[in-house]
Amino acid sequence: MSQLTIEDIARIAGVSRSTVSRVLNGQPNVRPSVRDRVQEVINSYGYAPQAAARQLVMRKTRLIGLILPDNAHHLFGNPIFAEIARGVSQVCAQRGYTPMLFIGRQDMDEATFFSLLRGRHFDGVVLISSDRQDRSAAMLREAGMPYVRVGHDPEDDQDLQYVDVDNVAAARVAVEHLIALGHRRIAMLKGLAKDVCTHARLEGYRQALAAAGLPFDEALVGDGDWTPASGYAWTRRFLDLPEPPTALFSSNDMMVAGVVRAVQERGLKVPDDLAIVGFDDLLQTTMIFPELTTIRQPCVEMGTRAAELLLDQLEHNRRERAQIILPTSLIIRESCGYRRRVAASVEVKAAAPTAGDLQQPS
């Protein structure tokens, strides 16, 4: 018998299922002779009396499902998911769990996916998704599977626990920085329309423009898809406008690689002709030149906090609402032109004559 269950033990030992549970949990209210008989069955089938037997009772696998968005290219084309997964893996390793990577449902129909969840192949799930079209969260709830979400849809108030950043506020800070540098025509590259963060970052862009008394111009907003190719295509369109933008806010760093290429192909320069601010601050985008000014979101910490919430659910039955919003920060580098502006300001002040340099009339 390769997989011994509580029912198997009870049948072989000639006792009730509840008696087996009491023995495996070490509860005292079992006669010694009965306890010995149950323990003998467990030992005879090669199960350790503590860890493995308790796993049978609690139905624990110590496996954590890590569900990413449907398109597998997101994992490799956008390193944000790999960073979040790294945070999840760190916590799992520390607490004796093994994460299982599961890249969306892809071609799996809902019935098969639901069956997988009901089969309890893992103890809980970290769901990385803010996709409004993704029914994974609803199906996790239907299957009774404990989960924590990274990324949150405000229209889905049934997420008990999630980790996210304030995408509206972060985007507003990015655009306000460009406005403070004197820019008045600021383009924006959005992400995929199905992603909640896309709409949140667009709202932050709108708010920054409105607060500065600047009009919202649809011609300056591009429907990107998080990839460098979309950044390239939309920047070419922006530069072809009768009055092209002088600055651009990209909803992620990956699209900026395409933006820079399009600018350079026109014989223009960043930030002289187009100032840029991105969003994510991932290690891979440090190779963009000039160095990218961007919004840093704590991707690894998002993964660690989500995993901690989930394991606390599993180990301590902590199922109270927990909505964690982590802070972002604006990382100022070369691509926005701020450092050049400061340097120029310092040079002007150094060149200005001091009171001691002025000649007094004779």
Side-chain angles (χ1 to χ4, degrees):
M1 187 179 297
S2 59
Q3 293 184 347
L4 200 65
T5 66
I6 292 178
E7 288 76 11
D8 294 329
I9 298 172
R11 177 175 51 79
I12 296 171
V15 297
S16 68
R17 185 182 187 281
S18 60
T19 298
V20 175
S21 295
R22 286 196 295 271
V23 171
L24 296 177
N25 282 321
Q27 296 177 1
N29 54 336
V30 180
R31 293 198 308 272
S33 59
V34 173
R35 184 184 303 278
D36 291 343
R37 189 161 74 248
V38 170
Q39 193 63 62
E40 183 179 352
V41 172
I42 294 171
N43 293 340
S44 67
Y45 285 93
Y47 280 90
Q50 296 300 324
R54 185 175 294 111
Q55 182 173 342
L56 285 173
V57 177
M58 303 302 293
R59 298 185 182 274
K60 295 289 187 182
T61 65
R62 301 197 76 79
L63 298 176
I64 298 300
L66 180 59
I67 301 181
L68 275 66
D70 277 341
N71 296 327
H73 77 267
H74 279 304
L75 177 62
F76 308 104
N78 191 342
I80 182 174
F81 300 111
E83 291 293 282
I84 295 172
R86 183 158 65 92
V88 173
S89 297
Q90 288 175 359
V91 173
C92 287
Q94 292 167 1
R95 295 175 62 168
Y97 289 79
T98 301
M100 293 179 61
L101 182 62
F102 185 60
I103 305 176
R105 290 188 286 114
Q106 299 179 49
D107 297 327
M108 186 183 300
D109 59 48
E110 290 196 354
T112 303
F113 182 66
F114 190 73
S115 176
L116 175 68
L117 297 178
R118 288 295 298 270
R120 296 289 176 173
H121 295 284
F122 25 72
D123 295 340
V125 165
V126 174
L127 171 64
I128 304 176
S129 174
S130 63
D131 180 352
R132 284 178 171 162
Q133 299 175 9
D134 186 0
R135 289 198 65 248
S136 295
M139 297 180 72
L140 286 165
R141 292 191 291 265
E142 291 170 17
M145 174 69 69
Y147 77 95
V148 174
R149 192 167 181 165
V150 178
H152 174 63
D153 183 355
E155 295 183 2
D156 184 354
D157 61 358
Q158 297 187 63
D159 284 337
L160 182 68
Q161 298 182 339
Y162 63 82
V163 180
D164 207 346
V165 297
D166 189 337
N167 285 285
V168 175
R172 188 172 63 240
V173 166
V175 179
E176 286 173 346
H177 180 67
L178 291 170
I179 293 171
L181 292 175
H183 297 283
R184 294 297 177 264
R185 282 187 64 74
I186 303 171
M188 178 185 177
L189 279 172
K190 300 190 298 181
L192 291 169
K194 65 178 184 175
D195 291 333
V196 176
C197 63
T198 293
H199 302 278
R201 292 171 193 177
L202 176 63
E203 177 59 24
Y205 169 79
R206 284 178 173 273
Q207 289 183 9
L209 294 180
L214 299 176
F216 175 80
D217 186 349
E218 289 281 1
L220 292 178
V221 178
D223 293 321
D225 63 4
W226 307 120
T227 66
S230 67
Y232 174 77
W234 274 102
T235 302
R236 287 173 59 90
R237 295 191 198 185
F238 293 147
L239 295 177
D240 284 337
L241 292 173
E243 188 180 355
T246 62
L248 179 143
F249 166 56
S250 176
S251 290
N252 81 338
D253 289 349
M254 298 303 296
M255 291 190 287
V256 173
V259 174
V260 172
R261 177 187 170 192
V263 171
Q264 291 175 344
E265 282 186 354
R266 294 294 178 93
L268 304 175
K269 293 183 178 180
V270 176
D272 299 355
D273 301 297
L274 187 71
I276 302 173
V277 176
F279 199 112
D280 283 336
D281 194 36
L282 298 169
L283 177 63
Q284 290 79 356
T285 54
T286 60
M287 301 304 293
I288 293 175
F289 180 81
E291 290 186 349
L292 184 61
T293 295
T294 188
I295 295 292
R296 174 180 293 167
Q297 59 173 335
C299 299
V300 174
E301 185 181 358
M302 292 168 76
T304 60
R305 297 294 293 275
E308 288 168 354
L309 284 176
L310 178 62
L311 298 189
D312 284 346
Q313 276 195 52
L314 301 177
E315 296 175 354
H316 308 296
N317 199 32
R318 293 178 183 168
R319 298 182 182 272
E320 67 275 9
R321 282 193 172 273
Q323 288 94 29
I324 297 176
I325 304 297
L326 297 175
T328 58
S329 53
L330 176 67
I331 307 301
I332 300 175
R333 300 192 182 100
E334 302 291 340
S335 68
C336 64
Y338 175 81
R339 291 182 178 177
R340 294 189 185 185
R341 178 177 174 180
V342 170
S345 175
V346 171
E347 288 178 5
V348 169
K349 290 179 181 178
T354 65
D357 294 328
L358 298 176
Q359 294 185 353
Q360 298 297 324
S362 56

